[in-house]
Amino acid sequence: MEIPVLLSTSRPRRRLLLGATAVLGLLLSFVVFTSLTSTSPARAAGGTFRNPVGTGPDPFMTYFNGNYYLAMTEGDSIKIRRSPSAAGLLRATPIEVWRDSNTSRNKDVWAPEFHQVGDRWYLYYTADDGVDENHRLYVLESDANDPAGSYHFKAKLTPPNRDVFAIDPSLMKHNGKLYLSWSGTNQYQHNGINLAPLSNPWTVSGNAVAINAGGDCAEVREGPAFLYRNGRTWMTYSVCDTGKPDYKLWMTSIAATADPLATANWQQHDGAVFSRSDARGVFSPGHHSFFTSPDGTQDWIVYLAKTTSVNTYSDRTSRIQRISWNSDGSPNLGEPLAIGASQELPAGDPGPSTGWINDDGRSSGVGSLAYSGTWSTGTTCAAQCFWGDDHWSGAAGATATFTFTGTQLALLSVRDVGNGIAAISIDGQAEKRVDFYPSNRIRVGEWMNYLSPKLSSGTHTVKVRVTGDKNAASDGTTISIDRAEVWTN
């Protein structure tokens, strides 16, 4: 769920002397992090990818007809990213599939999901008129059998007994029938889980029923998602406020032949099934969906998470990882991986299409990094950085020059309250100024600060220059270098 209010919280500068306890904690985090990433450049080049796959929250993702499709909360419209490889989603050009002119529903457009029913796709989302309490549910219909559109408006989704605050719609396909699931006002929470029957993908055909979903905090149950296996329908959902570091997933389930509108048929599973991992630098893992690998043999989760423990609704990224199944037939979502950890691509993914260049010059392919001027290096960013280290400099004129063979390059690094403005040039052309400062003064790990335009295939040089300039709100002029992601197609 996207929240329209941003919190501004000052954070200490990260380049500080650390006490012995803090140093030990960072070293332990670094050990855990390096155990989760490839320790061999050769292996990292062979069919792997690294999170994030998107820089927005509330992801929904599917694989269809040779491509992955990813949607996230954009705020004012609905956009979908498309790529034949999961490794290409981060740099995929967004396709705007919907922008509404109706002022009653064209603000705070959140949590889009697209589901195939027959030979059409139905895109569910929530929106309002600029007032949060006026959020309601809507659905679009595709004009052809293509999740990337085009789409036309189909309907507002309102059960007869409950025209109240409603967000996070999802489609449940259970026992041959369709049901609308969402988070909204009920007797259990303001943001509580609800179900209603559908006679078709755009028509609510009965009253809303509230599900008394469990959780270890009182305020929120949202973002329902579904898995179907082993004779049951498994509903996982987010618990707690999404700004909190303890935002997490819980689960309830029902027999595949049971009536989901009879609330007693739902079996609550106690305890979180996916939650924060401090050692891996992952906080607030939540609002999610599931998809299968291109060859249909693996199940994967796509979810939002943060790299800061601060209570904030900003700087949430979308990430994916493989899930498994327990011996009792229930899904095992595992533990969220550190951002930047190398993972094998989903089975059947045509990659690899990417490589990387670390801040110390190590590369998984044809790439190098050279510095001029004064740069510092260290491991204070621990699990929040690729390979657990980064370089930084606030000295005007210092440069970091990446040379690579490929078609596009992204620069990922820590955003800090002491970060300034970099000047970035490609192949000696005009510089582009890029601000590395986080506008809400929240320090976050490994953010995509820059994505080059698509270039002709070949060898290119990208130079990052410390300008010595800064945003007026920033505490310094530091530019951080963590890793470059290189695309070869």
Side-chain angles (χ1 to χ4, degrees), residues 72-241:
M72 299 169 285
T73 288
E74 305 283 350
D76 61 349
S77 65
I78 298 174
K79 299 181 178 71
I80 291 177
R81 274 83 173 165
R82 178 175 59 198
S83 173
S85 174
L89 285 168
L90 186 63
R91 62 93 176 244
T93 302
I95 304 166
E96 185 173 280
V97 300
W98 185 248
R99 182 178 291 272
D100 206 332
S101 59
N102 187 319
T103 57
S104 70
R105 58 172 192 251
N106 66 355
K107 306 288 194 307
D108 302 324
V109 181
W110 300 345
E113 293 193 7
F114 42 94
H115 297 265
Q116 186 183 34
V117 181
D119 63 353
R120 291 292 182 267
W121 290 81
Y122 294 89
L123 203 161
Y124 299 85
Y125 66 100
T126 182
D128 64 24
D129 57 0
V131 177
D132 182 31
E133 196 62 25
N134 293 336
H135 265 103
R136 297 295 188 272
L137 308 181
Y138 303 96
V139 61
L140 312 174
E141 183 183 61
S142 68
D143 297 316
N145 192 9
D146 186 348
S150 57
Y151 285 89
H152 59 270
F153 186 81
K154 193 67 175 177
K156 179 182 177 181
L157 298 165
T158 307
N161 65 333
R162 200 168 294 169
D163 186 10
V164 293
F165 172 85
I167 60 170
D168 297 354
S170 188
L171 189 66
M172 183 176 80
K173 301 176 181 179
H174 178 83
N175 198 21
K177 297 179 181 179
L178 300 178
Y179 297 86
L180 179 68
S181 179
W182 72 97
S183 175
T185 305
N186 61 30
Q187 63 266 41
Y188 302 114
Q189 288 93 20
H190 180 270
N191 292 38
I193 300 295
N194 302 276
L195 285 175
L198 294 169
S199 58
N200 56 46
W202 62 90
T203 305
V204 181
S205 56
N207 285 338
V209 171
I211 304 297
N212 188 12
D216 54 1
C217 58
E219 70 269 23
V220 169
R221 310 287 185 266
E222 64 186 15
F226 300 92
L227 288 164
Y228 310 93
R229 184 178 286 194
N230 302 323
R232 300 190 73 80
T233 294
W234 309 89
M235 179 201 292
T236 48
Y237 54 92
S238 302
V239 167
C240 301
D241 189 292

Side-chain angles (χ1 to χ4, degrees), residues 327-401:
S327 58
D328 66 357
S330 63
N332 184 340
L333 306 190
E335 183 178 356
L337 298 175
I339 198 164
S342 292
Q343 301 181 60
E344 296 293 329
L345 285 163
D349 189 299
S353 60
T354 63
W356 50 261
I357 306 170
N358 191 39
D359 63 285
D360 63 4
R362 284 177 290 178
S363 173
S364 67
V366 181
S368 63
L369 174 59
Y371 293 98
S372 72
T374 302
W375 290 81
S376 300
T377 184
T379 59
T380 57
C381 59
Q384 294 189 8
C385 283
F386 187 58
W387 288 95
D389 60 357
D390 67 345
H391 280 67
W392 66 93
S393 177
T399 65
T401 302

Side-chain angles (χ1 to χ4, degrees), residues 255-301:
T257 56
D259 179 6
L261 300 179
T263 58
N265 289 335
W266 287 91
Q267 178 183 332
Q268 182 66 51
H269 294 250
D270 291 333
V273 293
F274 199 63
S275 57
R276 64 189 279 176
S277 174
D278 292 40
R280 295 176 172 182
V282 182
F283 303 93
S284 312
H287 197 119
H288 67 301
S289 65
F290 301 100
F291 65 97
T292 55
S293 59
D295 70 354
T297 64
Q298 298 173 346
D299 295 305
W300 287 68
I301 184 173

